[in-house]
Every structure is written in C-alpha cells, then in structure tokens.
Amino acid sequence: MAEDDRADRLLAVMIDRLAEARLVKRRGRQRTDSTHVLAAVRRLDRIELVGETLRVALEEVTAADEEWVSALVTDEWARRYGRPVRYDRLSRESKEHEQYALRVGKDGMRLFQALIAPHTPARLRRLPQVEVLRQVSVQQYWFDEHDALRWRGPKQTRDRQSRRHTARRTTSSGAAAEGRPDPATARVPWSSVEIVSPRDPQARFSHKPGKAEWVGYKDHQTETCDDGLPG
C-alpha cells in the first residue's frame, strides 16, 4: 500500500470481505456526504505565506546545523525572519507588498544557492521544510526571459472538479489544466495543488459556494440505505 500511494488496495480488500459476509451488495442504495476538516494552522495570505515558509525553513536548517547557518544569515535576515511574519506588521502601502515578496524570494534563492554549494552537507538539502520552500517558491515566483525573479499573479478562477482537465479560458496551455503554474500568464496554480501553509503542506484552500471557506481537508462519508443491511 505504501508504494505509489495505493491505499485503495486496502479498500478493495475490505469491500471483498464485506461482500462475502453479505454486509454489502452490488447496486445497492447509498448516500454520500462530505464535511470540511480544519487544519490546525493560521490562515495566511500570499505575502505571509512566502515569508513564513522561508522563516520555518531557516528554523529547521538552524536546528540541523547552526554553524552553517550563522555564516549565511545577516542582521537584516534576523530582523526579517526572527519572528512570525504577520500581515499587520508589514507596510500599509500595497505597492510595497510586492517589493517585500520579491525580497523574500531573493533571500530564498540565496539560501538555495548556498544549499547546493559543494561544501554544504547533503543532509541539509533533504530537510522537509527545505522541500516545502522549494515547492512554494515554484508556485509563487517565476523567472522572466531576462532571468529576473518575478512575483506570480493571483489565480483567475477557483479549482473545480469539472475543470480539472479543461484548459482555462485565457489560455490553451495544458499545464494550466493540470494545476501547474501557467508560463503564459505566470499565475499561481489552482487551489487543489497550491500550498497554503508551511506547517501543513498537505492542507488546501477549499470552499462550498455560498456556505463556507476553509483551509484543511474534506472528509467524505458513504452509507448504505438498504433494508436489513448495516448503514
């Protein structure tokens, strides 16, 4: 089951055993519902996300090799990432938000360059939060034709199952349909793949139109409705 994330194999065995015991039957009546499950994380906007992701990665690298980090971190970095990044602590000027995001992105690139240097211990490159930082950087930044770091634009639409394999209206690129950042528009990926917190990289932004919005998971439950059988 651990290979290729095939937990469905366990479900297949369970169904076979339940059918043999006559607890379920083919083509029976059933009903399915889902509920939202909140992740135990603070909801972040994109500016907070990139700053917090880099800060958490630096914390993990520091715990793994404080001497290596001390040669990299500057006083400015200590002031910028020394405490949790919060929107209310940033500048009130919206035009400075993108400048801050780009500054964080460049700091992240500097960290990556140091991590891939020949003298850097390989174990630091394999730390979980370093991998999360890499993924968030790909999702939130891009390099233009002049190799300049740029801040991606916001997504134009929410992710929908019906659109999962359909190209966006603004582009015919297949990459957008698969949830990857679209090079033609340089926008962030759809919510189904976008990391929204470094503390729980599997959590996703979800919503039920007109009802609720949350960061976390969806719990799907199905029960049988046939007479004489367990629900």
Side-chain angles (χ1 to χ4, degrees):
M1 289 186 297
E3 295 179 1
D4 302 323
D5 194 23
R6 291 300 304 275
D8 59 303
R9 292 173 178 167
L10 175 60
L11 178 62
V13 172
M14 292 173 58
I15 293 176
D16 289 342
R17 296 294 184 271
L18 291 172
E20 291 173 2
R22 299 181 181 275
L23 296 176
V24 295
K25 64 180 182 179
R26 292 183 181 275
R27 299 183 178 85
R29 292 185 302 145
Q30 64 181 25
R31 58 188 176 192
T32 301
D33 197 4
S34 65
T35 185
H36 56 277
V37 179
L38 300 180
V41 296
R42 179 166 61 93
R43 186 167 177 174
L44 308 173
D45 72 358
R46 292 179 60 205
I47 303 293
E48 292 174 309
L49 171 65
V50 294
E52 268 296 278
T53 302
L54 179 53
R55 188 184 73 83
V56 172
L58 286 171
E59 281 187 345
E60 187 176 51
V61 175
T62 300
D65 195 329
E66 185 174 359
E67 183 177 353
W68 183 88
V69 172
S70 63
L72 177 69
V73 174
T74 64
D75 291 341
E76 185 178 356
W77 277 32
R79 290 190 297 269
R80 193 174 302 150
Y81 310 113
R83 60 178 181 174
V85 178
R86 300 186 64 93
Y87 189 85
D88 54 6
R89 294 173 182 164
L90 303 177
S91 171
R92 299 287 184 178
E93 298 294 331
S94 58
K95 63 181 181 181
E96 295 185 11
H97 290 171
E98 183 172 344
Q99 296 177 358
Y100 174 83
L102 289 174
R103 189 179 304 119
V104 173
K106 292 177 181 178
D107 290 344
M109 293 302 110
R110 182 184 171 193
L111 175 61
F112 286 131
Q113 291 173 355
L115 286 170
I116 64 176
H119 62 276
T120 299
R123 58 187 175 83
L124 297 182
R125 293 191 286 271
R126 295 192 294 266
L127 293 174
Q129 289 300 333
V130 171
E131 173 59 20
V132 173
L133 176 62
R134 185 193 67 79
Q135 294 182 39
V136 169
S137 298
V138 170
Q139 293 180 355
Q140 301 297 332
Y141 299 96
W142 65 291
F143 285 94
D144 62 18
E145 62 274 16
H146 304 294
D147 290 332
L149 188 69
R150 301 283 298 277
W151 178 238
R152 289 191 182 278
K155 62 177 69 65
Q156 293 179 324
T157 181
R158 298 184 189 276
D159 187 15
R160 295 182 184 177
Q161 183 68 31
S162 60
R163 297 177 180 173
R164 188 65 54 81
H165 301 293
T166 303
R168 296 180 184 178
R169 296 178 181 178
T170 56
T171 177
S172 59
S173 171
E178 297 175 8
R180 299 197 301 270
D182 178 13
T185 58
R187 296 186 181 277
V188 296
W190 290 359
S191 300
S192 58
V193 295
E194 183 185 12
I195 295 175
V196 292
S197 172
R199 298 295 187 182
D200 190 346
Q202 300 302 320
R204 296 291 182 263
F205 170 83
S206 300
H207 77 118
K208 291 185 176 180
K211 295 182 179 180
E213 293 184 354
W214 72 97
V215 170
Y217 306 85
K218 293 180 181 178
D219 177 37
H220 295 269
Q221 300 181 4
T222 301
E223 63 177 352
T224 59
C225 306
D226 294 307
D227 296 333
L229 294 177

